[in-house]
Every structure is written in C-alpha cells, then in structure tokens.
Amino acid sequence: MSFSHIYGHEQKIKILKSTLAQKRMAHAYLFSGMEAIGKRTLAIELVKAINCDRADDLHDACDECASCRKIAKGSHPDVYPVHAEGQYIRIDAVRQMQERTRCKPLEAKKRAFIIDDADRMNEASANALLKMLEEPSAVNILILVTARPASLPQTILSRCQQMRFNPLSAETVARFLRTKMNLDEQRAGLLAALSGGSIGNALELNNEDIIAYRTELLDLLSRTDRNNPFSLIDLASFLGSKKKEIGHGLHMMNSFFRDMLIVKEVGGNKMLINRDYDALIAACAERLSGEQILHNIEQIEKAGAIIEQNVNKSLTLEAMAFKLNY
Ligand SMILES: [Zn+2]
C-alpha cells in the first residue's frame, strides 16, 4: 500500500506529498477526525514514505524496499505504535518513548511514534509527552491520532501540526465495499449511505442484519400517522436507546427521504439508495411536497446532532417524530 491505495483524503495526501518533496515535515502531527476513516492507515503510509529508500523520487512509499516492507509488517525496529492500556495511555509508555529518543534510530531516517487514541492520556502522560514535544529532534516524528482532539490539552495541540480529516464521501465508502469486500452495488450503496462516511461503520453494519432492520423501520415509518401520537412514540422508541443504533436508524431514515426528493426532482429509480423500495418511496413522494421532505431531512439531521451531544435521547427522538411530515 502507498498513498495511492488510500480511500479518500486526496487533499490531505497532496499536502503531505508536497511537504515530503520540500523536506519540510513537522516533528509532530495530530491527525483528527471521526473513528475508522483511515487516519491511522494514512499515518503508517506517511511513515513509510518518509523512510522509503526511494522517497526522494517518489514522495511516497515504494512498497518494495526493506523499510517499506518492514513497516507494513509492523516489524520495523524504529517505528513504534503506542496504544492505551486499559483506559489510559500509561506514563510508562511515554517514558519508554522518551528513552528511545535518546539514541540514534537503528535503521530509519526518522524514528516514528504513532500514538493511537492520543486523547486517552492522563495528566502525567500528557505532561511527559509535552516534554517530548518541547524538545523536537530531526530524527524523530510523532503522529498523534484521535477522534476527540478537544480532549487534548491546548499545550499539546499547539505543538502539533494539526490535520483534520473529514468523513469519507458515500461514493468513496461504496467503492471500498465494492472493490475490497466484493459487495454488489446495491448493498454497497446502502451501507455507504448509512455509514456516515466511515468505512469502519460500514463494515460493522455489514455484519449486522441491516436489511431486516431497514424493512422493520420503513414498515413502521409507512404506518406512522401524525394524528396518532402512539404511532409517533412507537417510531421514536424503535429508533432505540443506544447512541450507535440511533445513528444507524437516523441515517436510514435520512436515506429514505433523500430518495423521495430524487424521485420528485429527477424521477426514475436509478439513483436511489433504497431502490428495492421504489414503489413505497414513489407513493410517499406523491403525498409530500419537496419542502416537507426537506424539512424532514433537516429535523433528522438536527436530532442526530443533538444526540451526539449526549442530550436526553428518547426525548429528542420523540420531539423529532412529532415534527416530521408523513
Ligand atoms: Zn520503499
């Protein structure tokens, strides 16, 4: 694998390649963005590219030299993954990093530490890491990876070159599912639309009986009636009480209303995510105006954002159910 095998993040890769070409790598990076979108994979590719025997020509990993192969296998003596043990990244792990920086790298041009879930440092570990960041060295590079950059102390953030990764586009996730997982176009499209832009989410959904869940949800949705408050509460409680399930359910509802808009504005069923429900979608599109459908999409997105902030979930879902047009 090299940069060219990474799904999405084209802009970030372009920046990193030009930094490599100009030999202006920062001594510490912070890769942030939602879980499972390829931040860590990109960190490893960057370390490969920095240390590749052919890096000067390629500004990318060749995947063939000894350095590239060792890093890919996880057996390079100068590349250290750092993880949380239990709840925290322990102070011992950071001290060990400090210890290692005292001598020259054994083989690498730059010794690399890739710190996963970097936000999971307690105060002692964070202070020790800060010391390392305050004494940068040309032969070491630190890459902090996190989905929660706001949980890191400002003193650490300000000493890292920050790169914020966006969720992947649905098309990128679908392409991954088609080419790497051999899924058919329909399933790949559905999972991608529900993944929120995360390959990890899509793979997780692929293991669940997502089709049965969708059947149940769409069935319930088609029976929901604004004049029957019980049906609204049924819908809200079906969407579940766990944050993750709610996310899946809301993405699914969103894809349903998005399909309705497409039927209304473009016609045909080619571009539909839920193509197998085209008759139901067309019937609903007939009943609702474009404005009402847009209102629904907005309300669903709003509810999703509120739930992300850990506000009362069932209350939020019920409020949303009462505001939608059916
Ligand atoms: Zn190489």
Side-chain angles (χ1 to χ4, degrees):
M1 247 184 86
S2 56
F3 286 139
S4 59
H5 291 96
I6 286 182
Y7 285 78
H9 309 309
E10 295 83 0
Q11 200 53 33
K12 299 286 182 298
I13 290 170
K14 210 172 141 190
I15 294 170
L16 289 171
K17 284 183 86 163
S18 112
T19 315
L20 275 166
Q22 296 167 34
K23 298 191 191 302
R24 292 176 60 173
M25 296 307 298
H27 66 272
Y29 283 88
L30 178 83
F31 285 5
S32 68
M34 73 186 286
E35 301 278 6
I37 53 172
K39 301 184 296 296
R40 193 170 178 282
T41 310
L42 188 50
I44 292 169
E45 288 312 312
L46 176 61
V47 173
K48 274 168 65 186
I50 291 171
N51 285 301
C52 176
D53 293 342
R54 292 171 57 197
D56 287 346
D57 317 319
L58 295 173
H59 316 308
D60 196 350
C62 74
D63 279 332
E64 285 165 5
C65 70
S67 169
C68 280
R69 295 219 307 257
K70 280 184 190 173
I71 298 172
K73 272 199 304 190
S75 64
H76 197 292
D78 297 310
V79 177
Y80 301 99
V82 180
H83 304 281
E85 277 175 60
Q87 207 182 342
Y88 293 111
I89 294 170
R90 293 171 48 194
I91 176 82
D92 293 352
V94 184
R95 286 210 183 109
Q96 214 169 42
M97 284 166 59
Q98 276 173 321
E99 204 54 49
R100 284 179 169 139
T101 58
R102 294 199 205 293
C103 41
K104 277 189 185 164
L106 296 166
E107 298 174 13
K109 295 177 204 165
K110 267 187 202 287
R111 179 193 289 113
F113 300 97
I114 300 173
I115 310 176
D116 241 345
D117 290 326
D119 55 284
R120 288 170 67 178
M121 278 183 290
N122 55 21
E123 214 183 322
S125 314
N127 282 334
L129 186 75
L130 185 60
K131 264 216 180 88
M132 275 185 81
L133 291 170
E134 283 168 344
E135 295 161 9
S137 126
V139 292
N140 297 309
I141 181 166
L142 273 83
I143 306 177
L144 283 66
V145 178
T146 177
R148 294 158 295 271
S151 307
L152 278 160
Q154 192 55 42
T155 43
I156 287 186
L157 293 176
S158 65
R159 281 175 178 79
C160 298
Q161 172 92 46
Q162 296 193 40
M163 294 191 106
R164 188 159 181 79
F165 290 74
N166 294 322
L168 300 169
S169 71
E171 177 40 40
T172 303
V173 178
R175 186 159 51 86
F176 174 90
L177 296 173
R178 287 195 309 266
T179 50
K180 291 275 173 185
M181 308 300 294
N182 285 323
L183 298 189
D184 65 54
E185 207 178 316
Q186 170 76 13
R187 189 171 174 88
L190 176 65
L191 293 174
L194 302 177
S195 70
S198 151
I199 286 177
N201 275 352
L203 293 176
E204 209 171 287
L205 285 166
N206 191 32
N207 291 329
E208 289 170 24
D209 200 350
I210 194 74
I211 302 293
Y213 180 79
R214 185 185 56 158
T215 306
E216 231 177 309
L217 177 59
L218 294 189
D219 189 41
L220 193 59
L221 200 57
S222 64
R223 283 188 281 116
T224 305
D225 176 359
R226 227 175 162 162
N227 297 316
N228 175 2
F230 292 111
S231 73
L232 301 173
I233 291 169
D234 276 352
L235 174 65
S237 61
F238 177 82
L239 286 167
S241 54
K242 285 186 216 143
K243 203 155 110 182
K244 205 167 210 171
E245 271 173 26
I246 298 172
H248 294 164
L250 292 180
H251 282 308
M252 211 172 268
M253 277 175 65
N254 227 340
S255 73
F256 187 60
F257 288 113
R258 169 206 167 271
D259 283 352
M260 258 181 238
L261 265 191
I262 288 180
V263 167
K264 241 186 154 52
E265 305 295 330
V266 188
N269 70 356
K270 262 198 158 159
M271 287 161 66
L272 300 188
I273 294 165
N274 304 285
R275 207 179 303 161
D276 43 346
Y277 278 88
D278 56 353
L280 175 65
I281 289 164
C284 297
E286 188 82 10
R287 207 168 55 233
L288 298 175
S289 71
E291 223 163 272
Q292 285 176 312
I293 299 170
L294 272 178
H295 166 88
N296 286 358
I297 292 174
E298 272 169 26
Q299 291 300 325
I300 294 166
E301 282 174 359
K302 216 162 145 188
I306 295 174
I307 285 162
E308 273 298 309
Q309 292 163 22
N310 284 321
V311 182
N312 189 318
K313 297 174 191 89
S314 46
L315 211 63
T316 309
L317 290 172
E318 280 172 22
M320 178 198 77
F322 275 85
K323 282 181 201 151
L324 298 182
N325 303 293
Y326 302 95

